[in-house]
Amino acid sequence: MKRFKIVYIVLLTMFAASCDSYLDETPDNRAEVDSQTKIRKLLVSAYPAGGYTLVTEISSDNVDDMGTSNPNTSRFYEQLANWEDVTEVENDDPKQIWESSYNAIAHSNEALAAIESLGEENLKPEKGEALITRAYNHFVLVNVFCNHYNKSTSSTDLGIPYMEKSETTLNPKYERGTVADVYKKINADIEAALPLISDDMYEISAYHFTKKAAYAFAARFNLYYENWAKAKEYASVVVTEDPLTVLRDWAAIGALPRQPDPVTQAYINDAANLLALTDGSIAGVYFGAYYHGSRFNHSKKIADEQTLLAPLPWGATARADFNFGPFVYAGTNLDKTLFYKIPYLFEYTDPVAGIGYSRSVTIPFTTDESLLVRAEAEVMLGEDDAALADLNAWSKNFFKGKEATLDQVNTFYDAMEYSSEVAPNQKKKLNPNFAVATGTQENMIHYVLQCRRILTLHEGLRWFDIKRYGIEVPRFQIQADGTVTVLDVLKANDLRKAIQIPQDVVSAGLTANPR
């Protein structure tokens, strides 16, 4: 659809000190949104066109530095892996996250303004979608660019500007507010949206916030907001009382030819997906069987010690235990252990010349992940039996019938030392700003976090668990001769866990994250 001329959606216009070419346009030279059809078309653009996957995944403990002899990197990837403020320009850089999220928010706000003008009585589903997309995009921004929410410091931690209306002036000035303020406003938008959303308004529901997608988002938000009971309530709408009936068919994917294209296509078309987003990302190449990005990637060492092939409470883990097993590449300068789910797509702008854009599809919400949200909430509520039942439902479906008892979980994690720089493993020391009791509760949290780390590998969600639980991240460098060194350690409350906001925005007057 033709883009609307909204002041703050044009390349950082919302924060730019000047924009000479744009000043030639009348400030309110916008397409008129005066019908239900136009509102629905407008809301197609209320979803971000740029995701956080690469930024947060490379920043996490899911990648190793495969050494200076590996040439398959770039300055951008090095900055992410070493937790430096990003200065390089790439399709997947933080600036793209910032711009695409605020661009989407602008469309949500235009839709809301049109709905208010036309009258809300017959436009409730459209209002619901506008509110939930506005909430989701702010949720992405606050969790990428700010300290994670907690009840101790969020009333003073820097937030991000929460846009609640379309901008009508040139060169507006904004304040960042606080993380607590942003979360409060996200919560208000979610609660207002949930009763309004109707699946009947969507022609192709996969790319929109259906009711289940909205509840999956609400569940994750409330988990991050430390509202455990509400997180469980909302996740239960998604996964029901019989989660095995709605989880991904991992066995069907595992039965496909072991080639990236058929398995990634099956993944993005599975009924367990609750929302699909398309973006101009190179993630499908980065987490594919290509040399590109192989210096900073998910290595076999990480897979063996910490993730896919590490032991679990029910015993040792081998590739044969998976319904859909990992792909292991261990050649020279290509040490990647991959769990294919992100397709590599190419949009040709000139087929003759063979040039165009790398694109991909990401799945931000699934029934499997919502089940783990419910399990974590149940652990925090002290409902160990319910949490274990959910974890077993997930593990029986993901692996080939594997499940554990509470005694096995306790025995397994009690016997395991905390991960260290000398002997890394899956059991990271937890430093959250909320209480986690030693013993069963902590052990169950370790198990939930491990299941989520495996499930969401390559998706970037691990980064948010690192922030939520104050997990330290050593950056291991592995040289060609096998020598392992620790280049740096991201501490529990390290300021670098808040990705720096784009330099253009800082130059225009918005306060930078402290370092």
Side-chain angles (χ1 to χ4, degrees):
M1 65 176 279
K2 190 173 182 180
R3 288 205 177 271
F4 287 73
K5 291 185 178 292
I6 303 171
V7 174
Y8 62 84
I9 73 172
V10 180
L11 192 58
L12 285 175
T13 303
M14 62 176 291
F15 295 110
S18 65
C19 188
D20 294 340
S21 62
Y22 193 76
L23 290 176
D24 294 333
E25 300 285 349
T26 304
D28 266 336
N29 182 21
R30 311 178 190 185
E32 187 175 0
V33 186
D34 55 6
S35 70
Q36 182 185 62
T37 298
K38 289 181 180 179
I39 290 171
R40 289 186 177 185
K41 289 181 177 180
L42 178 61
L43 286 169
V44 170
S45 297
Y47 295 83
Y52 54 77
T53 298
L54 275 185
V55 167
T56 56
E57 188 73 3
I58 298 173
S59 300
S60 78
D61 56 359
N62 282 342
V63 303
D64 274 334
D65 178 350
M66 299 311 298
T68 55
S69 64
N70 188 319
N72 302 300
T73 186
S74 70
R75 180 62 184 143
F76 170 59
Y77 300 142
E78 292 169 9
Q79 288 177 334
L80 290 176
N82 295 316
W83 310 300
E84 300 173 7
D85 292 351
V86 175
T87 59
E88 303 301 301
V89 177
E90 297 282 349
N91 284 345
D92 293 276
D93 64 21
K95 182 178 177 181
Q96 177 64 17
I97 302 171
W98 184 274
E99 290 178 0
S100 67
S101 296
Y102 276 117
N103 181 18
I105 290 165
H107 287 85
S108 299
N109 283 333
E110 279 295 288
L112 287 167
I115 290 166
E116 183 178 3
S117 176
L118 292 172
E120 298 180 8
E121 186 58 36
N122 297 317
L123 296 168
K124 290 181 179 179
E126 290 79 8
K127 183 177 180 181
E129 186 178 18
L131 287 169
I132 204 73
T133 51
R134 183 169 75 179
Y136 175 69
N137 284 287
H138 283 106
F139 179 73
V140 169
L141 289 164
V142 73
N143 282 289
V144 171
F145 294 104
C146 304
N147 292 334
H148 192 79
Y149 174 85
N150 70 80
K151 294 178 180 177
S152 300
T153 67
S154 288
S155 60
T156 55
D157 288 338
L158 285 173
I160 45 94
Y162 202 95
M163 306 302 298
E164 296 178 279
K165 62 181 180 179
S166 298
E167 188 51 68
T168 57
T169 61
L170 291 172
N171 193 23
K173 302 299 181 183
Y174 296 96
E175 299 294 333
R176 290 189 61 172
T178 68
V179 171
D181 290 338
V182 175
Y183 262 67
K184 182 178 180 180
K185 291 178 179 179
I186 292 172
N187 187 58
D189 276 351
I190 290 174
E191 293 299 316
L194 290 179
L196 304 178
I197 291 173
S198 171
D199 296 355
D200 295 337
M201 69 174 281
Y202 303 128
E203 292 182 12
I204 304 176
S205 61
Y207 296 96
H208 294 271
F209 267 109
T210 61
K211 186 169 288 289
K212 279 202 169 186
Y215 273 92
F217 166 40
R220 188 190 297 169
F221 168 76
N222 278 285
L223 189 75
Y224 287 13
Y225 207 15
E226 302 174 25
N227 289 334
W228 320 121
K230 190 169 283 189
K232 178 182 177 177
E233 175 190 348
Y234 289 163
S236 295
V237 174
V238 179
V239 298
T240 72
E241 293 304 311
D242 189 9
L244 283 171
T245 63
V246 297
L247 297 181
R248 187 178 304 281
D249 192 345
W250 291 106
I253 297 176
L256 294 170
R258 285 185 62 80
Q259 299 170 7
D261 187 59
V263 297
T264 55
Q265 290 299 319
Y267 184 89
I268 65 173
N269 287 293
D270 194 282
N273 300 334
L274 302 174
L275 177 65
L277 299 176
T278 60
D279 57 53
S281 173
I282 203 168
V285 176
Y286 198 94
F287 297 115
Y290 303 93
Y291 283 97
H292 182 92
S294 61
R295 175 169 172 182
F296 299 100
N297 218 291
H298 184 250
S299 68
K300 189 174 185 303
K301 185 176 186 295
I302 294 178
D304 289 344
E305 296 175 346
Q306 300 184 54
T307 59
L308 294 173
L309 300 173
L312 286 167
W314 40 261
T317 304
R319 194 164 68 177
D321 293 320
F322 290 81
N323 275 315
F324 169 55
F327 290 62
V328 180
Y329 302 94
T332 303
N333 290 333
L334 185 62
D335 185 343
K336 294 183 179 182
T337 296
L338 304 174
F339 200 61
Y340 280 119
K341 60 180 73 168
I342 303 174
Y344 170 44
L345 308 173
F346 197 82
E347 180 182 350
Y348 285 99
T349 55
D350 187 338
V352 176
I355 58 176
Y357 301 100
S358 295
R359 300 191 64 79
S360 193
V361 176
T362 54
I363 310 297
F365 299 102
T366 68
T367 54
D368 292 57
E369 191 266 340
S370 293
L371 183 60
L372 298 184
V373 166
R374 186 169 77 176
E376 184 180 341
E378 288 164 339
V379 173
M380 295 308 301
L381 290 167
E383 300 172 2
D384 295 332
D385 290 341
L388 188 65
D390 282 344
L391 289 168
N392 281 336
W394 177 80
S395 65
K396 284 188 293 187
N397 184 61
F398 188 81
F399 299 100
K400 293 180 179 177
K402 302 294 186 180
E403 56 185 324
T405 65
L406 192 59
D407 284 344
Q408 285 177 311
V409 173
N410 280 324
T411 299
F412 179 76
Y413 285 107
D414 283 343
M416 185 180 294
E417 298 292 332
Y418 287 109
S419 181
S420 68
E421 296 175 21
V422 175
N425 62 45
Q426 63 181 270
K427 184 180 176 181
K428 312 291 182 170
K429 190 164 183 59
L430 306 179
N431 301 282
N433 282 300
F434 51 87
V436 174
T438 57
T440 296
Q441 187 173 59
E442 182 183 343
N443 290 336
M444 287 289 284
I445 288 295
H446 284 305
Y447 191 25
V448 172
L449 294 179
Q450 181 66 2
C451 292
R452 184 182 293 117
R453 188 178 183 186
I454 292 170
L455 173 69
T456 64
L457 187 67
H458 310 321
E459 296 179 30
L461 283 181
R462 172 64 176 176
W463 180 244
F464 305 119
D465 282 350
I466 287 169
K467 293 175 69 170
R468 293 169 59 222
Y469 280 93
I471 295 172
E472 291 193 351
V473 181
R475 180 61 71 224
F476 295 101
Q477 185 177 80
I478 308 169
Q479 299 296 355
D481 62 1
T483 303
V484 178
T485 56
V486 176
L487 299 179
D488 195 2
V489 178
L490 194 70
K491 298 295 185 181
N493 295 309
D494 203 304
L495 294 175
R496 294 174 295 176
K497 287 184 176 179
I499 302 296
Q500 188 59 269
I501 65 176
Q503 184 56 51
D504 288 359
V505 179
V506 176
S507 298
L510 206 65
T511 305
N513 287 329
R515 287 292 185 259

